């Protein structure tokens, strides 16, 4: 069957066999692994993943046409879920020794990542995650403080996971060819995660700070805390810095303070 790629579903299929094998090589050959692939397409990476003989391989694909092709090609070797990844709850699929992998649909890649982050806690058993992003998005995810790419997504990700860049992938490796390079990233949940009551707090705080990216943080602190002078002193924060100068830990400290002292006033 001929597949006409759907732009609305961010369909850029990997066609370069070398790259596909290089990605699959990153997955351990361990039979106790439970693999989840997001957006398998017609299964170019999936067929390499099967060779790893995982305990279980679940693929989640929204496009019904592709699901039919997957069923034909892989039959009962894999669990095929025909659903929107943004509608499903990760909880239902994550069991012990879970590895999540995906050449993500780029239009919703950060949304998928932020949904996953919300779910990550000390108790769950995600071993690692391998996701492909547009290079620019990946650069923002791995950015460190004091760089211009550093922002909300870098902070949110680094709160719960260690992340590293694996390699870039040229547009020629896909069909259709995307306009820009892609980057493969590796995420590993931290063993110690700074505890916040709600992910929303950190999202709220970073939103306020980075809405005024170029301004000194005094403005944002004023917005958040009526007694901002006291709070900044208490937390040891220099009000003349810009949002990109604060470390992830500092944002977590601010969020923690906010939750403990201001929570009821604002997030209701
Ligand atoms: N992994 C494949 C395809 C990548 S393209 C390959 O590398 O060749 C992205 C894939 O995600 C497509 O198959 C697309 O149909 C699927 N997709 C897009 N939006 C989705 C969603 N909301 N939920 C699940 N899958 C989705």
């Amino acid at each position: 069957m001929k597949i006409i790629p759907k732009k609305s579903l961010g369909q850029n299929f990997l066609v370069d066999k070398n790259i596909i094998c290089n990605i699959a090589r990153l997955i351990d050959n361990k039979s106790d692994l439970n693999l989840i692939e997001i957006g398998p397409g017609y299964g170019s990476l999936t067929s390499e993943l099967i060779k790893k003989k995982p305990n279980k391989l679940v693929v989640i694909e929204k496009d019904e046409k592709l699901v039919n092709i997957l069923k034909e090609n892989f039959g009962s070797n894999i669990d095929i879920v025909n659903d929107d990844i943004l509608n499903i709850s990760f909880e239902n699929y994550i069991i012990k020794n879970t590895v999540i992998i995906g050449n993500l649909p780029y239009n919703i890649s950060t949304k998928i990542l932020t949904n996953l982050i919300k779910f990550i806690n000390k108790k769950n058993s995600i071993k690692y995650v391998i996701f492909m992003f547009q290079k620019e998005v990946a650069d923002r995810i791995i950015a460190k403080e004091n760089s211009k790419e550093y922002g909300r997504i870098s902070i949110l990700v680094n709160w719960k996971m260690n992340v590293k860049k694996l390699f870039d992938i040229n547009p020629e490796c896909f069909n259709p060819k995307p306009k820009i390079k892609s980057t493969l990233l590796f995420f590993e949940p931290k063993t110690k995660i700074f505890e916040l009551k709600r992910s929303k707090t950190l999202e709220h705080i970073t939103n306020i700070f980075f809405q005024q990216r170029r301004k000194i943080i005094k403005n944002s602190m004023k917005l958040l805390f009526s007694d901002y002078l006291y709070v900044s002193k208490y937390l040891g924060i220099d009000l003349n810095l810009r949002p990109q100068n604060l470390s992830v830990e500092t944002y977590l400290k601010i969020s923690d303070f906010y939750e403990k002292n201001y929570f009821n006033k604002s997030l209701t």
Side-chain angles (χ1 to χ4, degrees):
M1 194 193 330
K2 181 142 173 49
I3 308 158
I4 300 160
K6 295 192 184 92
K7 216 174 170 187
S8 62
L9 288 179
Q11 292 179 349
N12 295 100
F13 301 107
L14 261 175
V15 288
D16 186 295
K17 195 76 189 159
N18 275 332
I19 291 290
I20 294 169
C21 290
N22 285 345
I23 297 173
R25 203 171 292 147
L26 299 162
I27 308 283
D28 310 295
N29 252 326
K30 278 193 187 147
S31 57
D32 62 347
L33 278 194
N34 289 300
L35 285 176
I36 300 174
E37 188 189 1
I38 299 173
Y42 55 84
S44 52
L45 181 60
T46 319
S47 56
E48 291 304 312
L49 297 177
I50 289 177
K51 291 183 192 160
K52 302 277 163 180
K53 299 203 169 33
N55 177 45
K56 205 175 160 93
L57 172 53
V58 180
V59 303
I60 301 161
E61 173 58 62
K62 185 177 177 183
D63 189 337
E64 206 182 337
K65 261 198 186 148
L66 292 174
V67 164
N68 290 332
I69 296 176
L70 291 165
K71 280 184 181 155
E72 237 168 68
N73 290 348
F74 303 107
S76 57
N77 283 331
I78 60 176
D79 289 358
I80 303 169
V81 181
N82 185 194
D83 209 340
D84 186 329
I85 186 69
L86 298 179
N87 287 340
I88 68 150
S89 171
F90 280 105
E91 264 132 320
N92 300 337
Y93 295 94
I94 293 171
I95 43 179
K96 75 173 180 6
N97 290 328
T98 294
V99 168
I100 309 177
I101 187 163
N103 164 18
L104 300 181
Y106 289 158
N107 46 347
I108 53 166
S109 61
T110 46
K111 187 87 187 99
I112 296 172
L113 183 63
T114 48
N115 280 359
L116 178 64
I117 291 167
K118 275 178 208 152
F119 174 69
I120 287 181
N121 59 47
K122 275 178 273 178
K123 278 180 263 132
N124 62 39
S125 30
I126 296 175
K127 281 187 87 164
Y128 52 90
V129 177
I130 297 175
F131 279 162
M132 201 193 300
F133 298 90
Q134 288 167 305
K135 185 171 182 304
E136 279 85 336
V137 176
D139 287 344
R140 285 198 276 119
I141 293 170
I142 58 178
K144 296 285 176 239
E145 71 223 55
N146 299 321
S147 68
K148 74 175 190 317
E149 288 86 8
Y150 181 71
R152 299 185 64 200
I153 189 76
S154 350
I155 295 162
L156 205 58
V157 170
N158 280 283
W159 169 28
K160 292 194 177 175
M161 297 197 279
N162 294 315
V163 50
K164 70 171 187 210
K165 176 171 170 167
L166 294 167
F167 47 82
D168 287 334
I169 300 165
N170 286 325
E172 288 72 35
C173 300
F174 300 87
N175 180 35
K177 265 200 286 188
K179 288 202 184 70
I180 40 179
K181 273 193 179 181
S182 301
T183 300
L184 199 66
L185 296 183
F186 181 89
F187 305 85
E188 203 170 22
K190 291 185 175 173
T191 41
K192 267 197 183 149
I193 295 173
F194 189 107
E195 245 178 90
L196 288 176
K197 283 197 198 80
R198 304 167 35 148
S199 295
K200 266 231 153 57
T201 313
L202 183 61
E203 287 181 50
H204 177 66
I205 300 287
T206 51
N207 199 13
I208 295 214
F209 277 77
F210 282 90
Q211 261 171 12
Q212 313 198 47
R213 191 174 251 285
R214 282 163 223 287
K215 304 249 173 72
I216 58 169
I217 59 167
K218 184 173 166 191
N219 299 291
S220 306
M221 289 294 283
K222 245 184 184 171
L223 263 176
L224 285 164
F225 305 107
S226 47
D227 47 354
Y228 74 99
L229 283 174
Y230 163 78
V231 178
S232 45
K233 210 172 217 158
Y234 179 79
L235 296 174
I237 295 169
D238 176 353
L239 290 172
N240 293 313
L241 294 174
R242 322 249 156 202
Q244 65 268 31
N245 304 127
L246 303 188
S247 67
V248 175
E249 286 66 37
T250 304
Y251 279 108
L252 288 167
K253 270 200 310 192
I254 296 170
S255 303
D256 182 52
F257 187 89
Y258 186 78
E259 267 188 350
K260 288 185 177 140
N261 301 286
Y262 282 75
F263 184 71
N264 293 336
K265 285 188 209 167
S266 61
L267 291 179
T268 43

